[in-house]
Amino acid sequence: MTALVIAEHNNAALNIATLNAVAAAAKLGRPCDILVAGHQCRAVAAAAAQVVGVAKVLHCDAPHYAHGLAENLAPLVVRLAANYSHVLAAATTNGKNVVPRIAALLDVAQLSDIIEVIDPETFVRPIYAGNVLATVQSSDRVKTITVRTTAFDAVAAQGGNATIEALAPGPDAGLSTFKGEELTKSTRPELAAADIVVSGGRGVGSAENFAIIEKLADKLGAAVGASRAAVDAGYVPNDYQVGQTGKVVAPTLYVAVGISGAIQHLAGMKDSKVIVAINKDEEAPIFQVADYGLVGDLFKEVPALIEALDK
Amino acid sequence: MKILVAVKRAIDYNVKARPKSDGTGVELANVKMSMNPFDEIAVEEAIRLQEAGKVEEIIAVSVGPAQCQETLRTAMAMGADRGILVQTETEIQPLGVAKLLKALVDKEQPGLVILGKQAIDDDSNQTGQMLAGLLGWAQGTFAAKVEVGVDTVDVKREVDGGLQALTLKLPAVITADLRLNEPRYVKLPNIMKAKKKPLDIVTPADLGVDVAPRLKLVKVSEPAARAGGVKVADVNELVAKLRNEAKVI
């Protein structure tokens, strides 16, 4: 049987996290369809049809699918589920929001945040902030899954040639209404997909001081992240948060500045290729995972680093 | 209206979990346990709604072994009015918990259910969404702000790019994210008072819910540890290492 991937998009463009979810579906060794449900999202359906490994795009267009509301999207997927062995979505906030609702309506378990496909019934997922890996097996008829994007290399966005099939929309459940959004505007790369991430922690000390982190990030062409402590203290918005309950990132280079390295932060970044830590406390746990540690005052070291990068 | 708040007894957030040596599960013997941090935020939100005069009664619910009574007492010391423990010694997976909570919702008829968005032990992030699905209710997950109106609730949600604002029809399920509030510290007199608050104990069988696990745990293991790194003397050495050794800039 076929696997179904729920596309992540904003009605205009396909979010690349979808390509990681398709990659996980490909590991199941079976064909994969993509559901593009949205409003005036024809361009997204066309983009999804180009993705390598996709057999068919199901395009469902109606105003009440515009914002991915779980109350409307879940019944649509449930209607399709009889034809599929697996339903997958990237473990983004949208995926995490809708997939458990689908699972409950299907009366099946859900597998959260898988990092490996052993076989079509068996998966590996991190638990306890990634300090333990659980191998779990599902005998449910439909496996509902969210995919940790950093664990699966994205498939190519171009080169496929899937058919696009129009899908009749279901009703508006009338339970929830979208009122608006406040999206963080940034010219920097997206945190979850950036090659380089510079994160600041409690040690940065204030929202104003975070400018020093941003300056280093801009020098490196990096995204800006933060520890939970920095978010808690109100230095930066929550969508900057890297960690167990924030975003999980695995960039080529992760620079942790003024971050002690609490369990919950390490869970979000320890799969980065190279980790640099700058912290004045040489006993800080962050140094145990850092490839390169620099003990020193961040207010002195970070400006010096920016200068050294110019040389 | 009544609010039902679900609280889980979980490993303390400062404890680093390890697999048992035989790989059959996680070592939890003599490990410090606490209320799941996001559930504390859920309890706090319920109390604030009660303090604002929006809520008559707060019922705290927990699913798990007898020790979860302590977790419920903590919720009651914070301000919940009574507790219900669905007592079971076996592991209950999120779908089972959602079904148990649904049975209690059917009985208690709350206008709002608030849960933490995720428990820091199994990291599933499922129960609230599943409960909303089973009830056919609206869901406001990862809530950063909650405003209860007459027959609707406005929720600001933490999403990947920022915040999303929704209006949900009541009754609804809300899951708490980090910035929703800062939970209060429990004061000693309130701990004493909480001991006198009612705490009912029921079993999954009493509620007529099949909680047999659907997922089989094959094994647990430890992730590959990162090889220890080196300390560099100054920024110049750091830049040289990043350029010439790691080749990442």
Side-chain angles (χ1 to χ4, degrees):
Chain A
M1 272 177 99
T2 311
L4 179 69
V5 171
I6 303 169
E8 167 105 17
H9 65 90
N10 61 359
N11 297 308
L14 187 68
N15 187 307
I16 57 160
T18 311
L19 306 179
N20 305 104
V22 172
K27 301 261 183 200
L28 298 166
R30 51 191 72 194
C32 144
D33 293 350
I34 290 193
L35 171 66
V36 177
H39 184 45
Q40 296 172 344
C41 59
R42 178 167 296 279
V44 180
Q50 303 287 308
V51 174
V52 168
V54 177
K56 188 165 71 179
V57 176
L58 300 170
H59 173 210
C60 190
D61 219 294
H64 55 275
Y65 296 128
H67 303 287
L69 298 176
E71 296 84 351
N72 293 331
L73 186 52
L76 179 68
V77 177
V78 168
R79 201 176 88 198
L80 299 170
N83 303 322
Y84 293 98
S85 59
H86 296 74
V87 173
L88 304 97
T92 56
T93 46
N94 284 329
K96 290 174 186 171
N97 185 46
V98 72
V99 178
R101 192 172 178 112
I102 294 166
L105 295 175
L106 291 171
D107 193 27
V108 300
Q110 191 221 301
L111 297 124
S112 293
D113 238 354
I114 63 158
I115 57 168
E116 193 183 336
V117 176
I118 308 261
D119 64 46
E121 298 200 327
T122 316
F123 306 88
V124 180
R125 56 176 301 260
I127 54 175
Y128 290 87
N131 289 310
V132 178
L133 301 180
T135 304
V136 285
Q137 196 167 36
S138 163
S139 50
D140 284 322
R141 195 194 62 73
V142 185
K143 279 80 172 159
T144 55
I145 293 169
T146 58
V147 175
R148 178 166 291 194
T149 53
T150 54
F152 296 89
D153 289 334
V155 297
Q158 304 275 338
N161 186 20
T163 55
I164 301 179
E165 192 178 299
L167 193 67
D172 182 349
L175 293 171
S176 52
T177 318
F178 174 83
K179 289 290 172 180
E181 56 194 357
E182 302 158 27
L183 300 182
T184 308
K185 287 194 179 63
S186 173
T187 51
R188 299 189 186 98
E190 198 194 331
L191 178 56
D195 265 342
I196 303 179
V197 173
V198 180
S199 284
R202 175 94 69 192
V204 178
S206 71
E208 293 73 38
N209 288 350
F210 232 81
I212 197 173
I213 303 295
E214 290 166 353
K215 209 168 158 195
L216 176 58
D218 290 340
K219 174 60 57 190
L220 290 165
V224 176
S227 68
R228 173 176 163 163
V231 172
D232 249 343
Y235 303 167
V236 287
N238 191 69
D239 54 298
Y240 282 41
Q241 193 197 148
V242 172
Q244 178 186 13
T245 60
K247 290 194 173 81
V248 177
V249 301
T252 312
L253 173 61
Y254 187 91
V255 185
V257 182
I259 291 177
S260 65
I263 294 167
Q264 90 92 30
H265 185 73
L266 301 184
M269 45 63 83
K270 66 184 165 63
D271 292 327
S272 305
K273 187 162 169 260
V274 174
I275 296 173
V276 170
I278 301 175
N279 202 299
K280 66 180 175 195
D281 173 13
E282 67 177 310
E283 302 297 323
I286 191 77
F287 288 122
Q288 290 164 22
V289 301
D291 300 282
Y292 304 111
L294 177 58
V295 179
D297 178 5
L298 72 94
F299 298 104
K300 185 175 142 274
E301 302 297 346
V302 173
L305 176 56
I306 293 169
E307 208 171 294
L309 285 165
D310 273 331
K311 284 183 204 156
Chain B
M1 93 175 157
K2 281 190 211 175
I3 287 194
L4 198 136
V5 186
V7 295
K8 184 175 188 180
R9 179 175 179 266
I11 194 167
D12 187 81
Y13 75 100
N14 275 317
V15 178
K16 187 176 173 195
R18 283 176 211 289
K20 286 182 190 166
S21 53
D22 63 1
T24 56
V26 175
E27 191 55 74
L28 291 176
N30 305 316
V31 165
K32 187 182 177 203
M33 305 291 276
S34 302
M35 188 190 297
N36 176 45
F38 288 98
D39 300 348
E40 278 185 48
I41 299 172
V43 174
E44 176 66 34
E45 194 63 17
I47 297 165
R48 290 187 189 191
L49 288 169
Q50 192 177 43
E51 287 168 349
K54 307 265 187 192
V55 172
E56 283 94 52
E57 190 185 31
I58 301 169
I59 309 159
V61 178
S62 193
V63 176
Q67 294 93 314
C68 294
Q69 289 186 43
E70 292 163 25
T71 318
L72 287 169
R73 292 290 173 203
T74 304
M76 289 189 276
M78 288 175 74
D81 297 298
R82 60 185 168 99
I84 302 174
L85 170 60
V86 183
Q87 193 169 329
T88 168
E89 295 302 319
T90 57
E91 181 223 353
I92 313 248
Q93 294 175 350
L95 183 62
V97 175
K99 287 179 178 180
L100 291 168
L101 293 175
K102 177 182 185 292
L104 289 172
V105 167
D106 289 343
K107 207 168 134 203
E108 299 285 351
Q109 299 285 316
L112 207 56
V113 181
I114 312 183
L115 311 86
K117 75 162 179 178
Q118 172 176 347
I120 61 164
D121 47 11
D122 65 10
D123 284 330
S124 287
N125 193 336
Q126 297 174 4
T127 305
Q129 296 89 312
M130 287 181 156
L131 175 63
L134 294 175
L135 289 165
W137 290 7
Q139 65 186 56
T141 52
F142 326 142
K145 195 173 181 196
V146 172
E147 279 179 85
V148 176
V150 181
D151 44 20
T152 58
V153 54
D154 291 336
V155 181
K156 278 205 174 142
R157 303 180 54 232
E158 303 275 10
V159 294
D160 284 335
L163 287 169
Q164 182 192 57
L166 298 180
T167 296
L168 311 178
K169 225 166 109 175
L170 287 172
V173 174
I174 286 172
T175 74
D177 211 325
L178 183 63
R179 292 194 304 172
L180 183 57
N181 59 53
E182 211 168 302
R184 66 196 62 195
Y185 287 103
V186 174
K187 296 194 186 96
L188 190 60
N190 292 342
I191 295 175
M192 304 311 288
K193 260 191 250 169
K195 289 186 178 158
K196 298 200 179 76
K197 290 184 178 176
L199 196 167
D200 289 336
I201 297 176
V202 296
T203 64
D206 293 338
L207 297 172
V209 176
D210 171 15
V211 289
R214 301 295 188 81
L215 297 176
K216 187 179 139 203
L217 183 67
V218 180
K219 63 164 187 177
V220 299
S221 57
E222 209 156 358
R226 282 188 81 92
V230 296
K231 293 258 170 65
V232 293
D234 56 34
V235 292
N236 293 319
E237 188 187 348
L238 176 59
V239 171
K241 294 266 192 200
L242 290 176
R243 280 191 181 138
N244 307 325
E245 192 176 90
K247 297 187 169 60
V248 289
I249 57 170

